[in-house]
C-alpha cells in the first residue's frame, strides 16, 4: 500500500510540473510550446513563426529572446501573463528556472 501511495504521489507531482508558451499570430491562431519535465528547459526557435503575442501557463518560467538560440538578453513572462508585440522574438525558452536550455532543434514555422 505504501509503495502504491508513493508511486501515485510521484506521478501527481511530475504531472503538475509543466510550462507552456502559447504563441499567437495575426490570424488569431495559437500554438503551444511546452516543457513537461520538471527538471528541464527547452529552447524553441520561432524566427520563421509569426509571433504577435505570447501567453504563459504552467509552473515553470518563460524567457523571450531576440536571438535564435536562447542566448543573450531576454524578457521574462510570468505565469498567467501575456506579452504583446512580440514580433522581435526569435526564440523562446520554456521550463524550470535557473538551468540552461537545450536546443533548439531546427527553426520551423509552427503555423
Amino acid at each position: 500500500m505504501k509503495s502504491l501511495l508513493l508511486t501515485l504521489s510521484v506521478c501527481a507531482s511530475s504531472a503538475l510540473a509543466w510550462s507552456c508558451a502559447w504563441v499567437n499570430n495575426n490570424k488569431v491562431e495559437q500554438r503551444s510550446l511546452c516543457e513537461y519535465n520538471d527538471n528541464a528547459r527547452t529552447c524553441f526557435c520561432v524566427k520563421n513563426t509569426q509571433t504577435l503575442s505570447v501567453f504563459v501557463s504552467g509552473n515553470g518560467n518563460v524567457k523571450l529572446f531576440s536571438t535564435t538560440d536562447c542566448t543573450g538578453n531576454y524578457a521574462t513572462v510570468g505565469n498567467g501573463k501575456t506579452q504583446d508585440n512580440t514580433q522581435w522574438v526569435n526564440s523562446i525558452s520554456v521550463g524550470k528556472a535557473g538551468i540552461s536550455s537545450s536546443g533548439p532543434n531546427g527553426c520551423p514555422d509552427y503555423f
Side-chain angles (χ1 to χ4, degrees), residues 11 14 20 52 56 64 70 103:
C11 290
S14 65
C20 290
L52 178 65
V56 176
L64 309 177
C70 296

Side-chain angles (χ1 to χ4, degrees), residues 32-110:
S32 62
L33 306 175
C34 301
E35 174 55 64
Y36 296 104
N37 184 336
D38 65 342
N39 235 357
R41 184 165 200 87
T42 301
C43 177
F44 297 93
C45 177
V46 294
K47 178 181 79 171
N48 297 316
T49 301
Q50 184 187 61
T51 55
L52 178 65
S53 66
V54 175
F55 172 76
V56 176
S57 63
N59 299 322
N61 119 339
V62 171
K63 296 177 182 176
L64 309 177
F65 295 84
S66 61
T67 62
T68 59
D69 60 355
C70 296
T71 59
N73 296 329
Y74 59 86
T76 301
V77 185
N79 184 34
K81 305 289 184 192
T82 299
Q83 178 71 48
D84 293 317
N85 302 315
T86 54
Q87 294 86 350
W88 60 272
V89 174
N90 285 313
S91 62
I92 299 174
S93 178
V94 178
K96 181 178 180 177
I99 61 174
S100 58
S101 300
S102 63
N105 295 320
C107 205
D109 180 352
Y110 287 99

